Amino acid sequence: MPGVTQPAILTRLVLGPAGLRSGSLGPAFRAPWRTVFSGLCGIALLVLPIWVLMNLGRGLDVSDAGYYHASISYLSDNRMAVTQFGVVWNLLPVPDDILMRRGALFLWVTLASGWMAIEAFSLLNRAHLRTQTSGDQILFASVGIGAGVFYASLWLVDPSYNSTALGLSCGLVALAIRLVRTRAQAPASLVVAGALVVLLLYARPPTAAALGLSLSLFVLVLVRPNPRRLVKLVGGSIAGMVGAIGLVWLLVEAPSETWSRFQGGLELAGMLARDVDHFDHLERFTLGLLRVASQSWFILLWAFLISASAVFRPFRTQAAQALLAASLSVLVVLVMALHLRTLSDAPLASYAFQSDMAALTGLLAVVIAAGRIVPTANRPRRRLDTRRLALVLALLVASLAVVFWTASLWFPRLAWVGVFPVLALLVAVHSENRWRFMASASLVVGVLAMLQYAFWTSVSHTPYRLSGPLQAQTLPTEIRHGRSTLRTDAATHTLLNTLTRVSTDLARCEGKDRPVLLDMTGRMPMVAYHINARPPGRSWVLSGYPGSADLFGSIVGNLDDATLQAAWILDAPDYSRGHDPGVLAARGVNYVNDYDLVAELHAPYPDTQIRLYRPKAGVVCDLT
C-alpha cells in the first residue's frame, strides 16, 4: 500500500480505518492513568445506587404507594385512570410483592440509564477514537447508573407512572442513539423502539408524544436516510407497535378495556376539576431556567470560553486545555458545595437543590457543546462536534419530555430526571485528549457527587410521607397477609399489624369475591391493598379537591346494593378533608350504628384517628 508503513497496515487490519488517525494510539496505550482515573471515579459513583438497593425494603407510604400497587394488582377493578402503567407492569413476570417490584424498578431504571450512557459513549467513540480505554466505558456506565437512581428522589421507590415512563424513556433514547450509530441498520432496534413507544403511550401519553417526535427528528437529521431506508425505518417501528399492542392483548387485556378505563380517567379528571394551565407551567419552567442561568452567568460564560479556547493558538496545548478544564471543575464544584452549606432544614430544600443543579448541569452541557463547534478544516472533527451537540440537545429534550404535561410544576421534577442533564454534560466534555478529559470528567464526577449527596440527605432525613427518617424504618412488617415484608417505623408497624390482625378472613377471598373498601379519608389507598379488599372502581378516590364530592357520589352510586352492603368502611371522623358520610346515608348505610367497629387507632398519615368498620354479617366471601 503506497505511503503506508507496515505497522500502519497492521494497525488498520486490527483496529480498522480509525487506527490510522493521528494520535489514535497514544491516549489509549500511553495513558494508563486515564483508565485508572475513569475506573476509580466510576466505582465511586456506584456507592449511592448500592446504598439505595440495600435500603429498598425500608419504609411504606400509605397514600401514593398504595395507589401504585393497587393499580397494578387490581387492574381490572380500576375503571378510571388516564395513565395505564398498570398494564405495562402486568406484562412483566414480577410477583405481587412490594419488595420484588421495587427491586425490578431499580434494576429497570438504573440499567436502562447505564445502557443509554454506553450507547452515547459508543456514538462518540465511533466518530473518533476506537481505541479508548475500558475505563471510559466504565465511567459512562457508572454516570448513567449513578444518576439514574434519582428516580427515587424523596424516596418514591415504588413503581409509578412517572418512574415507569422514565425507565421506558431511557431505553428509547438508548435505541435512538444506537440507530444513529448504526446508520439505521439495526432492524431489531427499530422493532423494539416501536414497542417501547406503545408501552410509553400506555404509561404516560404526553411523554410518548413529545419523546417520540423529538427522537424521530434526532435520528432523521443525523442519519438522513434515503426514501428506501426511510420506508424501512417507518415499517420496522410500526411492526414493533403492532407487536406491543398484540402482546398486551394476549397477556393482559383487550384494547377495548384499556380504552374504557382511559375514558373513565378523563371523566375523573373532569370531576376533580383540576384545571391545570400547562402553558403557565411551561412559562414557569422557562423562568426557572432563566433564574438559574442569571445566577450562574459567570460559570456559563467561563465554560463557553474554555470550550471554545482550543481555536486560539496559545490554548492549544494539552497542558493549557487541562488547566482551563480543571479551573471550571473547581469553580462549579465549589459553588455547588457552598450552596449545599446554605441549605435550610426544610423538608424539600435538598430536593430544590437537586432541581436547580440539574438545570445548571443541562445549561453547562449546552454551552460547552456549542463552544466546541468551531470553524475547522477537519471534516471528521466537525462532524463529531455536530453530533455531540445534537446528542446533548436530544438528552435535554428527553428530560423535558418525561415531565411534560404533568399536573404539578415541571421545574422541580428535574430532580428525578437528572440522568439526562448529567449524561449530557459528560457527552459535552468528553475528549480524546487524556489530560483534558480527566480534568473535564472531574467536573461531571463532582457535579454528580454533589447531586448524590443532596439526594441522600433528602431521602435519609425527610422521606416522602413517612413518620420518621429512613434509618428509623427498622421493624419487620408483613404486608398483605405475608405476601411482602418491609421494615417500617413503629407507628406504621402498629397501623399495618392491627389492620392485618382484624382482616385475616379477607386473606381467603379471591378476585371479585373480595369485598369493597370505602376509604372515607380519601388519603389511604394502601389500606385496601393491604387487607386484600377491592377498590370501588378507582384505586384512589381522592378527597380534598373541588370535585371530590362528585367523584365519591359517582363511585358510591355505581355500586349495586349487594356490593355496598358487604363493603368495609374506613373512616376518620376528625379528618376535615374526608368524604361526606351523608352520601352513604342516602343509600341506607349507617355504618356507625349498624356495622362492627373492628379497629380504632392513629394513622401517621394523614395524622388522624381512623376507624375500620365491617358489616355485622362478617366477611361476605364465596369460598365455594
Side-chain angles (χ1 to χ4, degrees), residues 12-47:
R12 179 182 288 275
L13 292 174
V14 175
L15 300 175
L20 291 178
R21 296 177 187 168
S22 175
S24 62
L25 292 177
F29 297 104
R30 296 202 306 267
W33 284 111
R34 176 168 181 155
T35 302
V36 173
F37 170 83
S38 299
L40 290 179
C41 289
I43 293 171
L45 294 176
L46 294 179
V47 172

Side-chain angles (χ1 to χ4, degrees), residues 161-492:
Y161 46 88
N162 286 322
S163 56
T164 302
L166 178 60
L168 290 169
S169 298
C170 290
L172 196 55
V173 172
L175 288 169
I177 299 172
R178 185 177 183 85
L179 287 172
V180 171
R181 181 169 61 85
T182 60
R183 305 291 299 174
Q185 297 292 336
S189 297
L190 284 171
V191 174
V192 176
L196 289 186
V197 168
V198 169
L199 297 180
L200 190 54
L201 189 64
Y202 276 101
R204 201 169 185 280
T207 297
L211 192 60
L213 178 60
S214 60
L215 291 182
S216 297
L217 291 174
F218 171 69
V219 173
L220 293 176
V221 168
L222 293 187
V223 174
R224 289 178 290 181
N226 55 38
R228 182 177 179 181
R229 188 174 296 179
L230 181 60
V231 170
K232 290 183 178 180
L233 278 169
V234 175
S237 301
I238 292 177
M241 293 178 181
V242 173
I245 294 173
L247 192 63
V248 170
W249 196 344
L250 178 65
L251 299 180
V252 183
E253 65 182 15
S256 59
E257 295 181 34
T258 306
W259 178 248
S260 176
R261 188 182 304 110
F262 177 74
Q263 288 180 309
L266 295 179
E267 181 184 355
L268 168 71
M271 286 183 184
L272 291 179
R274 298 179 67 183
D275 295 327
V276 180
D277 188 346
H278 294 288
F279 293 102
D280 178 64
H281 284 187
L282 178 60
E283 181 181 359
R284 293 191 182 195
F285 180 86
T286 305
L287 291 175
L289 291 180
L290 292 176
R291 173 179 58 81
V292 172
S294 64
Q295 293 173 349
S296 312
W297 67 269
F298 178 75
I299 292 177
L300 296 175
L301 178 61
W302 185 237
F304 180 82
L305 293 176
I306 290 175
S307 180
S309 64
V311 73
F312 302 109
R313 186 175 298 276
F315 303 105
R316 288 180 181 175
T317 64
Q318 290 191 16
Q321 286 290 302
L323 286 175
L324 289 172
S327 71
L328 177 64
S329 301
V330 171
L331 176 62
V332 173
V333 173
L334 181 62
V335 168
M336 293 181 70
L338 292 175
H339 192 173
L340 267 176
R341 290 192 63 183
T342 62
L343 291 182
S344 67
D345 295 330
L348 296 180
S350 297
Y351 184 71
F353 171 84
Q354 287 179 257
S355 303
D356 284 356
M357 293 304 104
L360 175 59
T361 302
L363 293 172
L364 277 172
V366 172
V367 299
I368 292 174
R372 298 185 71 162
I373 300 182
V374 294
T376 177
N378 188 330
R379 186 175 178 182
R381 172 62 55 191
R382 187 168 61 248
R383 181 187 181 194
L384 167 64
D385 290 335
T386 302
R387 283 191 166 197
R388 187 194 312 276
L389 179 59
L391 180 54
V392 166
L393 292 176
L395 289 168
L396 296 180
V397 170
S399 66
L400 176 58
V402 176
V403 302
F404 177 67
W405 221 256
T406 185
S408 54
L409 294 177
W410 300 359
F411 188 84
R413 295 299 184 95
L414 290 178
W416 59 269
V417 296
V419 61
F420 295 111
V422 171
L423 179 57
L425 182 60
L426 182 57
V427 168
V429 304
H430 187 251
S431 172
E432 66 273 23
N433 179 323
R434 61 187 181 276
W435 298 113
R436 177 174 177 172
F437 172 76
M438 285 192 287
S440 300
S442 299
L443 169 63
V444 182
V445 173
V447 167
L448 182 51
M450 291 293 175
L451 288 171
Q452 287 188 339
Y453 177 77
F455 168 92
W456 177 82
T457 301
S458 174
V459 302
S460 296
H461 301 153
T462 54
Y464 182 71
R465 287 183 177 171
L466 299 186
S467 60
L470 202 61
Q471 297 310 310
Q473 313 296 315
T474 57
L475 299 176
T477 307
E478 289 189 351
I479 314 297
R480 296 197 73 202
H481 306 285
R483 297 192 186 186
S484 307
T485 299
L486 302 176
R487 286 174 288 171
T488 65
D489 54 79
T492 305

Side-chain angles (χ1 to χ4, degrees), residues 60-75 78-86 98 101 158-162 203 261 265 268 272 274 465 519 522-530 535 537-542:
L60 184 64
D61 160 39
V62 299
S63 57
D64 294 61
Y67 165 65
Y68 302 146
H69 290 287
S71 296
I72 297 171
S73 298
Y74 305 154
L75 182 64
N78 188 16
R79 299 190 299 271
M80 306 175 77
V82 174
T83 171
Q84 311 299 318
F85 73 101
I98 293 179
R101 284 177 180 162
D158 297 282
S160 66
Y161 46 88
N162 286 322
R261 188 182 304 110
L268 168 71
L272 291 179
R274 298 179 67 183
R465 287 183 177 171
D519 176 14
R523 294 288 159 176
M524 302 180 67
M526 176 58 73
V527 174
Y529 177 77
H530 175 63
R538 162 74 180 166
S539 298
W540 190 355
V541 185
L542 280 161

